[in-house]
Amino acid sequence: MATTNHELRVINGLIETTIDSVEGYRDAAQDVQNNTFRTMFERRASERQAAVAGLQAYVVSHGGKAEDSGTVLASAHRVFVDLRAALSKGDEAVVKEVERGEDHIKHKYEDALKDVELSPSARDTVDKAFASVRAGHDEMSRLKHGLEGLH
């Protein structure tokens, strides 16, 4: 039972971080001027929302209460990001901030996957959600580096 409680805590932590990511992508979609970026961010928000649903389903199916909101720290971070985006008024600044968030969430998932106490089914659930995180991270990294190459 201790392993299950541990697993549920780990997965609920990922749910919070992934919800932060959904909200970050939605905020970024509102902040950018470029319609291609907006569409990309909205697509990523939808993919992350699906990842959240998968993680929540695992928690509920194992008798836990799934998180349904992001972290407290993320809301404070978003205020800062919003301020910075408003001051810089540039898509490049928004992309850089999104990519920074992607680094954060990628590390959270990598840490979870290193957890030796996760059962194979928990690890599989985390890995499925991580596929969206990995793809988003790689896409945002390419986008950021592509914009930097324009200078």
Side-chain angles (χ1 to χ4, degrees), residues 71-92:
T71 62
V72 174
L73 290 176
S75 59
H77 175 70
R78 274 193 301 279
V79 169
F80 175 72
V81 171
D82 291 345
L83 175 61
R84 206 163 110 185
L87 293 173
S88 64
K89 294 287 188 205
D91 287 358
E92 187 173 348

Side-chain angles (χ1 to χ4, degrees), residues 57-134:
Y58 182 90
V59 170
V60 170
S61 73
H62 286 80
K65 180 185 179 326
E67 288 294 334
D68 59 3
S69 63
T71 62
V72 174
L73 290 176
S75 59
H77 175 70
R78 274 193 301 279
V79 169
F80 175 72
V81 171
D82 291 345
L83 175 61
R84 206 163 110 185
L87 293 173
S88 64
K89 294 287 188 205
D91 287 358
E92 187 173 348
V94 174
V95 168
K96 283 181 179 178
E97 199 53 46
V98 168
E99 198 264 346
R100 193 169 74 86
E102 286 298 296
D103 285 343
H104 173 74
I105 191 172
K106 181 177 178 240
H107 291 299
K108 291 278 192 186
Y109 273 83
E110 288 170 343
D111 287 347
L113 288 169
K114 291 175 189 170
D115 189 325
V116 296
E117 292 184 50
L118 293 186
S119 67
S121 64
R123 187 173 310 285
D124 184 55
T125 299
V126 171
D127 201 41
K128 284 178 184 167
F130 187 45
S132 168
V133 170
R134 200 173 23 245

Side-chain angles (χ1 to χ4, degrees), residues 127-146:
D127 201 41
K128 284 178 184 167
F130 187 45
S132 168
V133 170
R134 200 173 23 245
H137 174 273
D138 293 350
E139 183 178 41
M140 291 308 114
S141 182
R142 284 191 303 275
L143 181 59
K144 179 186 124 182
H145 294 299

